[in-house]
Structures are given as structure tokens and as C-alpha cells.
């Protein structure tokens, strides 16, 4: 497949047009996508809703992933547009995490461990006609599911504290609804939140603004879980 024009750019990667139903995602900083590909292949084979993986493109690099071209808004766009309520959006996120954590680990021998996304938030969920699809698996790891729940809550709290957040964005309501929905799955224990905060703090992709509100965000999550 021939690599076509640039379709768009995210925080770490660029998306290029390919032939047929495919796009190419390429990391700008040289990140090797081999591990991400392995995780997505395993999850796809397990029936989890990730984008389909396509054949290699001409001139493909280790930084490249060929993925299904998805149509539909992100969960973030749907929430901002009002086509989903905060409670409905929280239900989507909690359901996707619950489904992910029902799949056995790929590598870990610990029976309590599962595959963790560790970056599951509304911008990484595409509401395709076939149902929600989870994207961006760069940070995927294996460990206790509570860590994944804590990380999703922490990311939403950081977003809620961003000065640039649109006034109509229902992020605080989404966070409260998500934490309420996590109750049936074991919630967000204090130790999981502390670990997520430390891990989030080591992420080199965080902006200065996100880093500045990290501790406040952790306090927000802790306050809402009491």
C-alpha cells in the first residue's frame, strides 16, 4: 500500500492516508510500535473492540501501525455535542475497562493481572457505527485492574482542572459518574491512585499544565471516592 497525504496529527503521532479502508499511524519521536502491535493483535483475537490491523504499507517503519480507518465521533466529541450525557459516557468508559479486564494477561503469570490501557479517556474512544473502538495503546501494560481505573479517573481530573476546558464540557460530572460506576468493580483504592499518580508523573508526554495540576487532580479523585 502506498502512503498518501497527512490526515491529521495528535500529541505523539501523525496519521496518513492509505489505500482502501486503512490509515497509517507513525510516531514522530521514533517510538517503536512493535509492542503496541502485539498487544492490539492479542486483544483483537480475544474479541476486544480495537481497530483492525492491516497489512504493512510500502516503506513501513518500526514506528508505523496500519489500522482500520474508523468513522464516527470520539466519545469526547459526543459529550461536548450533547449527544451523550455524562452518565452515558461514564457507562461507556466503565464498560470498556470492565471488558478489557476480563481478558487474561498476555505475558504476566500473576493470576490477578490483566492488560491495562493506562490512557483510556474520551478522546481515545471512537464511537463507530459498529460500536465503541479503543485506540492508542502505546502505554498498555499488565497489572491490577484498579490501576487502570485510577489512571482513567486521574486523567479526567487533570482535564477538569485545565484552564482551557470549555465551559460546556461535562468533565466533572463525567468523572463523578465514572467513579460511581467503578464501585461495582472495586472502585479506586488509595494505593492504586497513589501508584497512578506516580506513574503519570513520569510520563514525558505530559504538558507543563498537566504536570502542574497532577497532585490537585489526585486530591479531586480521592475526594470523590470517599
Amino acid at each position: 500500500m502506498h502512503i498518501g497525504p497527512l490526515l491529521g496529527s495528535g500529541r505523539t503521532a501523525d496519521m496518513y492516508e492509505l489505500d482502501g479502508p486503512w490509515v497509517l499511524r507513525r510516531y514522530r519521536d521514533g517510538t517503536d510500535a512493535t509492542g503496541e502491535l502485539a498487544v492490539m493483535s492479542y486483544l483483537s483475537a480475544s474479541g476486544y473492540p480495537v481497530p483492525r490491523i492491516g497489512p504493512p504499507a510500502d516503506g513501513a517503519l518500526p514506528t508505523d501501525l496500519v489500522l482500520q480507518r474508523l468513522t464516527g465521533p470520539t466519545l469526547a466529541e459526543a459529550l461536548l455535542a450533547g449527544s451523550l450525557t455524562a452518565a452515558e459516557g461514564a457507562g461507556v468508559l466503565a464498560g470498556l475497562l470492565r471488558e478489557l479486564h476480563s481478558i487474561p494477561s498476555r505475558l504476566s503469570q500473576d493470576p490477578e493481572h490483566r492488560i491495562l490501557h493506562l490512557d483510556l479517556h474520551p478522546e481515545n474512544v471512537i464511537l463507530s457505527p459498529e460500536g465503541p473502538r479503543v485506540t492508542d495503546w502505546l502505554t498498555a501494560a499488565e497489572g491490577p485492574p484498579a490501576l487502570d481505573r485510577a489512571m482513567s479517573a486521574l486523567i479526567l481530573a487533570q482535564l477538569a482542572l485545565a484552564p482551557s476546558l470549555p465551559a460546556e464540557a461535562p468533565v466533572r460530572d463525567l468523572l463523578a459518574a465514572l467513579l460511581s460506576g467503578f464501585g461495582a468493580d472495586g472502585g479506586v483504592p488509595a494505593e492504586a491512585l497513589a501508584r497512578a499518580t506516580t506513574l503519570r508523573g513520569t510520563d514525558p508526554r505530559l504538558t507543563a499544565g498537566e504536570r502542574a495540576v497532577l497532585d490537585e487532580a489526585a486530591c479531586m479523585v480521592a475526594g470523590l471516592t470517599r
Side-chain angles (χ1 to χ4, degrees):
M1 289 185 289
H2 173 70
I3 300 175
L6 179 70
L7 294 173
S9 297
R11 181 177 295 200
T12 59
D14 299 319
M15 197 79 73
Y16 294 89
E17 186 176 275
L18 290 177
D19 305 326
W22 308 108
V23 293
L24 181 139
R25 184 157 63 85
R26 174 172 290 171
Y27 286 109
R28 291 189 297 275
D29 63 358
T31 297
D32 192 327
T34 304
E36 188 174 358
L37 176 63
V39 171
M40 292 183 68
S41 297
Y42 175 77
L43 290 172
S44 180
S46 301
Y48 192 75
V50 296
R52 295 197 311 276
I53 298 167
D58 297 338
L61 304 172
T63 56
D64 296 347
L65 281 172
V66 175
L67 302 171
Q68 173 191 8
R69 177 179 290 191
L70 296 171
T71 60
T74 64
L75 179 55
E77 290 168 339
L79 288 164
L80 278 172
S83 52
L84 283 181
T85 67
E88 290 168 335
V92 171
L93 286 174
L96 288 168
L97 283 169
R98 190 175 301 120
E99 183 178 356
L100 176 62
H101 300 155
S102 71
I103 300 171
S105 293
R106 186 173 67 95
L107 301 173
S108 176
Q109 299 303 305
D110 189 322
E112 300 300 319
H113 283 185
R114 296 292 185 268
I115 293 178
L116 313 179
H117 187 284
L118 296 179
D119 195 26
L120 188 54
H121 55 76
E123 290 184 348
N124 283 340
V125 178
I126 306 294
L127 301 178
S128 77
E130 294 78 29
R133 295 291 182 269
V134 180
T135 64
D136 292 347
W137 292 86
L138 176 63
T139 57
E142 297 186 3
L147 177 60
D148 220 2
R149 296 193 297 270
M151 187 66 82
S152 287
L154 184 63
I155 291 170
L156 284 180
Q158 284 181 289
L159 180 58
L161 293 167
S164 60
L165 181 71
E168 67 274 17
V171 179
R172 290 175 184 264
D173 290 342
L174 178 66
L175 174 59
L178 184 64
L179 288 169
S180 177
F182 282 164
D185 302 312
V188 176
E191 61 271 19
L193 179 57
R195 185 177 171 191
T197 305
T198 299
L199 185 60
R200 182 77 171 156
T202 64
D203 188 343
R205 300 175 301 161
L206 254 60
T207 65
E210 289 170 330
R211 201 172 298 281
V213 301
L214 182 57
D215 289 340
E216 187 179 354
C219 289
M220 179 185 291
V221 173
L224 289 170
T225 56
R226 293 194 183 107

